[in-house]
Amino acid sequence: MANIKKALIFSICVQILSKAIGLLANILLLRLLPVNVIGGFTMLGNSAQSISSIARLGTDYNYQVTSCALPASQRGGLQRQFLRWNACFSGVAALIALPLLYPSILPLGSSPLLLIMIYSYLLIESYVDVLWEPVLANRDYSKVFGRHLQVAIFKAILPLLFGVFFGWKGLVAGLLIATSSNAIIAIISLRQLPYAEGKPLPLRSFLSEGIPFYLVPLTQQLIFWPALLYLGFDSGLESVGLLRVAQLVVQVVGILPTSIIPIVFIENAHGYDKNQSQLRKGLHAVALSGLAIFTIYSMLDATVLPIILV
């Protein structure tokens, strides 16, 4: 139980620091770059997150539950199945997403190299969390949550630095380098896991068992992402750029859920009865803290947003 408490505290601290770094970097982006470039940045980042949710097909939920029920020495077949199939899912999803996204960001620039960079970013960013799932299933919480800080620093510095000097192309390059570094660290962490034998799941079970958990995020993304694409194409990237302001503060509400839910999910999957009461307390803390943060922000909204926008 002490290890779980340490993991929770570490995760919360990392999330707070990561959000602070991201908030500062994004405020600087808002002040230093044109609104239409910020709109393109928002479109690209949100598109990658959306296709990540859509392309998983619930396999991440199914993988964690099934994998944690197996001894570590028997997870190999399921792990390889999970990584390979999701690589295909992300590749296809990014290929479909690119022509849908590109008309909205076309005013920012068009070239074969830029297309390749955008596709590579969509592919890697939508797949990189999959690479971390086996590490999370192995309960290496320090590695999994420590990378949030590395990602926050890279995504803060590189897009800002390249974007200020090279505009839209530099911003895309910064995002691509940041997410590629995250993927490289994930692959190194994967290779450090002990080699495991084991059989994959029947394909039907692999694809279907996680669907009940998947329906809510799928519905959200199927509503949000087309609406975002329509807004960017119809109203222009300047309008999309204004969404970034609201997103900056809304992210604060997600600090505790992002910190606690993965640990709660994994520990529940391991099925240790002695942890149940502590895990329930964690879920209560998530619900109450999220409500409190949202209430405080609602009261300060008229004060905070003008400061960011000025």
Side-chain angles (χ1 to χ4, degrees):
M1 189 62 65
N3 290 334
I4 296 177
K5 289 180 179 178
K6 287 180 181 179
L8 288 171
I9 293 171
F10 177 71
S11 178
I12 292 170
C13 291
V14 166
Q15 287 295 330
I16 291 173
L17 188 54
S18 299
K19 291 294 186 294
I21 293 171
L23 180 63
L24 178 60
N26 279 282
I27 290 174
L28 290 174
L29 277 170
L30 286 167
R31 290 178 177 272
L32 297 175
L33 293 179
V35 179
N36 64 330
V37 174
I38 299 299
F41 173 72
T42 303
M43 291 281 294
L44 188 56
N46 285 340
S47 294
Q49 292 173 12
S50 293
I51 66 174
S52 177
S53 297
I54 293 171
R56 294 290 75 78
L57 301 176
T59 56
D60 48 347
Y61 299 104
N62 189 26
Y63 172 77
Q64 290 294 359
V65 171
T66 307
S67 177
C68 291
L70 295 172
S73 59
Q74 297 178 18
R75 297 176 187 171
L78 178 60
Q79 176 180 311
R80 288 186 286 275
Q81 180 186 40
F82 176 65
L83 295 175
R84 289 169 183 170
W85 276 98
N86 276 283
C88 296
F89 296 157
S90 289
V92 172
L95 194 62
I96 294 172
L98 184 59
L100 298 175
L101 169 67
Y102 204 66
S104 298
I105 57 177
L106 184 62
L108 294 173
S110 174
S111 70
L113 178 59
L114 187 59
L115 274 173
I116 292 171
M117 290 169 59
I118 291 174
Y119 174 79
S120 299
Y121 170 73
L122 292 173
L123 170 62
I124 298 172
E125 181 70 11
S126 65
Y127 181 63
V128 68
D129 284 344
V130 170
L131 293 172
W132 284 103
E133 292 290 345
V135 184
L136 182 61
N138 200 50
R139 305 164 91 186
D140 292 338
Y141 296 130
S142 59
K143 285 184 180 180
V144 174
F145 297 118
R147 62 101 183 197
H148 286 300
L149 188 57
Q150 171 262 321
V151 171
I153 293 172
F154 275 47
K155 284 190 174 180
I157 294 175
L158 296 178
L160 178 61
L161 183 63
F162 288 120
V164 168
F165 285 101
F166 302 106
W168 168 241
K169 292 181 180 179
L171 195 148
V172 174
L175 285 173
L176 178 57
I177 295 171
T179 195
S180 297
S181 67
N182 185 17
I184 291 170
I185 294 172
I187 291 170
I188 293 172
S189 299
L190 271 174
R191 290 183 174 179
Q192 291 174 346
L193 295 177
Y195 179 79
E197 300 287 348
K199 297 180 180 180
L201 289 176
L203 188 57
R204 182 176 179 180
S205 297
F206 175 72
L207 293 176
S208 65
E209 293 297 326
I211 286 179
F213 298 97
Y214 170 71
L215 291 177
V216 172
L218 172 64
T219 304
Q220 289 173 338
Q221 295 303 331
L222 289 179
I223 294 172
F224 169 74
W225 189 49
L228 181 68
L229 293 176
Y230 178 80
L231 177 63
F233 184 73
D234 185 63
S235 301
L237 293 175
E238 289 82 0
S239 298
V240 178
L242 297 176
L243 290 176
R244 193 65 187 166
V245 179
Q247 288 179 330
L248 293 178
V249 187
V250 169
Q251 286 175 359
V252 177
V253 182
I255 288 177
L256 280 176
T258 306
S259 307
I260 296 175
I261 290 298
I263 297 175
V264 172
F265 190 77
I266 293 298
E267 294 301 324
N268 265 323
H270 277 278
Y272 294 152
D273 292 337
K274 64 180 180 180
N275 292 340
Q276 298 306 311
S277 122
Q278 189 70 23
L279 296 176
R280 281 195 295 270
K281 290 179 182 178
L283 287 174
H284 292 159
V286 169
L288 293 176
S289 63
L291 180 61
I293 292 171
F294 184 75
T295 301
I296 293 170
Y297 167 66
S298 298
M299 292 187 293
L300 297 178
D301 178 80
T303 303
V304 174
L305 290 183
I307 293 174
I308 296 176
L309 283 170
V310 170

